[in-house]
Amino acid sequence: MEKYMSSTPAPAPAPSASPVLAGAAAGPASAEQQRLEFWDQQARRLDWAQPWHTTHTFTPALDPQALDLQAPDPQASPNIKSAADSADSATSALRVPSIEWFAGGKLNAAVNCVDRHVAAGKGEKVALFFEGEPGDRRQVTYQELQDQVCRAANALTALGIVKGDRVVIYLPVLVETIVITLAVARLGAIHSLVFGGFSAEALKFRVEDTGAKLLVTTDGQFRRGQAVPVKANADVAVAGENAILHVLVIKRTGSPVEWTHGRDIWWHDALEQAGTEHTAEHFDAETPLFIMYTSGTTGAPKGLVHTTGGYLTQASYTHELLFSNPDPALRDTDVHWCTADLAWVTAHTYEIYGPLSNGVTQVIFEGTPNTPHPGRHFEIIERYGVTSYYTAPTLVRSLMGWFPDGVPSHYDLSSIRLLGTVGEAVNPQAWMWLRNQLGAGAVPMVDTWWQSETGATILSPRPSDTNFKPGCASRPLPGVSVRIVDDAGTDVSRGEQGLIVVDGTGPAMARTVWGNPQRYLDSYWRKFARQGYFLAGDGARYDEDGDIWILGRIDDVINISGHRLSTIEIESALVSHPVVVEAGVTPVADPLTGHAVVAFVVLAPSCDLGGAAVQTQLRAQVAHMIGPIAKPSAVVVVPDVPKTRSGKIMRRLLAQMYQGTPLGDTTSLQNEESLAGISAAIKQYLGKESP
């Protein structure tokens, strides 16, 4: 049985203005039809070689016919069994959900990101301002980007890459990284970007799991003022049994490399033989575009598969809605900067496909934000006239620690028109610092909530809003919908903590887990299969206005004597203390209360408090801001907290290290070296005090 199907014929589409979804319709059926018509219209902003005949089909995880059930009632009684109970009693009725958007349509992602802008007469517009960590700079126009992408596509074709092949890209933030990514997409192949700082083990898993034919890497990368060798990790990753035929190597640092003749090829040699003329093929909308790996609490990383037409539609629309100048006549003055590493899904959506599909000028930066000094980002904003600055709360908190007296006045940040955060919920203190210091306390703030799975922003304030709430994700964007429910799938009341689910997904939603569709079902759809909800894995609550506050991962909820506490709220209380730069809070088992709170804090360099004083002050701070029930039982001072490349604190690792249990997957850490310092701090703390 197919659910949510629209068969509106699509005439040959042409780019058009982006409409805004109208207010609530008369009933659920008309509201759903309105949602599909909205995405049908947004897809027309792209160039399609062949129109689609069906906007959307969704086959849910639970087959109503198999269980002789009716479609779920959103106002169903709380006495209805949860989907997990249903699954236990009728396993045969569960199936992997099937999602399809714009069936019958054909397009090419790279053509939409580059060629169409050149054809529209914008070939001389700057696409990329590149700044390398050592200070080298390049600017690349759309015409130059098209030439390079076409050459790269010809070079990849010469290496045997065809539609459906997987290409793993193990590179830092370089112009070449974007060029190769678009060239892979141009051929209908599937790319999987891997952070250049990941270990050989993490890379090896991704090479083998994807069955990649080609690995693209570099001789080295500049990081924190050093030329770090990279090729050796690539060599280890492709040793043993795999499908790799070639390793394509970019010369970046001049670091010495081991060379396997016949397998290894220099990038510049491959491009020397390739021309700039390339005729792009157009592919079905559901052609896989990329595999994005995200780590789970248990098990190996999950390879989420995103497809071309739906992903590009939502990436392009949401980028324009959130970041483009509200006056279309002024958009040529936009300079966008998403600070994410290109291997992170945020960079895919808001640094590659979203901005480039909209013909935007943007900045890409190879280095770390405090190399060679903590003001590097401010220099870049001033140099290129950045208008939208999109970054992670962890970086904002670092800037707060580096500049306790505020941003020095000699930096000119007046070009900034909009600020945004992404990765996890931003602490109100960090939100206010960012807006006051970089936006003169007046610019719009888009605090975006979304995931690798959703592919694009789900919740965010609008830039046009006039009443921003520090740390509040606000409400769903047009075309998607969410609800907050209890464990049985029943809507919760305002002020009550629950689970956020997506009940109206957008076209960028991941379609499956690569090579493991059962894990896709089990991880995201099984729990609320009866209702057809996507389980996001975060806790949330509505405030009195109906706006949504994200409270952190479900696994991180702290339950003390029946009181459910949010890690984000406790961390925000800690960060609001002037001596704390960063905080990670985790629950640990307690025989009396169920959970106890353990806090890991990074202190400001200027802090001169001793361990006992830190304990006393920070426990009192949490008690004052939240209540005595939330006071940490332990406060451990650490040099850093473990973070993923998306800027999320891996709180489960903190709990596992504190309790001495085996660590789960750590391959997605951006700062794996922090674990040694945290372990030493825990040993020192536990040697003096008991938790």
Side-chain angles (χ1 to χ4, degrees), residues 130-150:
F130 167 77
E131 174 127 352
E133 188 178 91
D136 54 317
R137 298 168 194 149
R138 294 171 62 185
Q139 69 176 43
V140 180
T141 66
Y142 273 94
Q143 179 65 68
E144 291 168 336
L145 184 59
Q146 180 182 23
D147 291 345
Q148 293 184 42
V149 170
C150 288

Side-chain angles (χ1 to χ4, degrees), residues 132-185:
E133 188 178 91
D136 54 317
R137 298 168 194 149
R138 294 171 62 185
Q139 69 176 43
V140 180
T141 66
Y142 273 94
Q143 179 65 68
E144 291 168 336
L145 184 59
Q146 180 182 23
D147 291 345
Q148 293 184 42
V149 170
C150 288
R151 290 181 70 192
N154 286 324
L156 294 179
T157 299
L159 293 176
I161 300 301
V162 297
K163 178 181 182 291
D165 285 343
R166 278 77 66 201
V167 177
V168 171
I169 301 170
Y170 182 55
L171 293 172
V173 178
L174 302 172
V175 171
E176 290 83 358
T177 312
I178 291 180
V179 168
I180 294 167
T181 299
L182 292 174
V184 172

Side-chain angles (χ1 to χ4, degrees), residues 95-137:
R95 60 196 175 187
V96 178
S98 175
I99 302 172
E100 185 174 16
W101 286 86
F102 311 120
K106 292 181 181 291
L107 76 168
N108 186 291
V111 167
N112 272 279
C113 288
V114 186
D115 301 48
R116 69 171 178 154
H117 306 309
V118 176
K122 296 188 175 181
E124 297 308 308
K125 183 177 181 179
V126 173
L128 304 172
F129 286 119
F130 167 77
E131 174 127 352
E133 188 178 91
D136 54 317
R137 298 168 194 149

